Amino acid sequence: MPEIDDPRLVSPQCHSLTPVQTIHENPWFVIRNRGGYYTIEYKTPQITVLPIVEDHSIVMVRAKRPVIGDNTLELPAGGAGEAEAPVIAAARELAEETGIEIRESERFQLLPSISILPNRSPVFPYIFQINITQQEFDMRKMHDKEILSVESICFDDVKQMIVGGKIYVSLPISILSRFFLIKSCDNKQGPDNIQTY
């Protein structure tokens, strides 16, 4: 799997913002004041997985979010363990949150990252796409207790759920929107519909 050469996936790139002061620290993240900019910096790489079922559906999880009193539709995601490679973390998060176990790490395609909050999150998440079969989805095992349900949603329904506000978490919307834009561009520039300018 080719790596994306983006240093923002690994560490903050704001070396000129000084002084750096730690405001808060817990086992998961640190809040820092970097020359007047307050940042949230996770202690391990953050991972999001875009599982595509046979080019017709997307696997999404309904995550329990008690802080906002809702169960939100999201993509499988989480943090890597200590010294855990991002692609291994992607496979683990997919298995934990959906019950879909994929052992071949080469099936996970690293996508260009998307910034969540550019002024506040100086380290970007790793985003992996994986294509799975309907059988792999149907044969999934139990998911963890933070997930209410695992759903395979057809492309058109995902688009309508974004438009209608039923999918409203920003990072999944960004990943899904880019996926659909790329798909649309690929379809328009196919051999039977060549665009000329």
Side-chain angles (χ1 to χ4, degrees), residues 22-41:
T22 298
I23 305 299
H24 171 77
E25 186 168 2
N26 62 41
W28 303 277
F29 60 85
V30 178
I31 297 175
R32 292 196 169 101
N33 178 349
R34 291 182 173 272
Y37 292 90
Y38 289 84
T39 63
I40 301 169
E41 301 171 28

Side-chain angles (χ1 to χ4, degrees), residues 59-62 73 96-100 137 140-143 147-152:
V59 177
M60 300 194 74
V61 296
R62 202 168 286 277
L73 273 171
E96 287 176 0
E97 295 198 355
T98 70
I100 300 167
F137 176 77
R140 67 191 184 280
K141 299 178 181 177
M142 288 299 298
H143 51 78
I147 302 301
L148 183 67
S149 64
V150 178
E151 303 175 25
S152 177

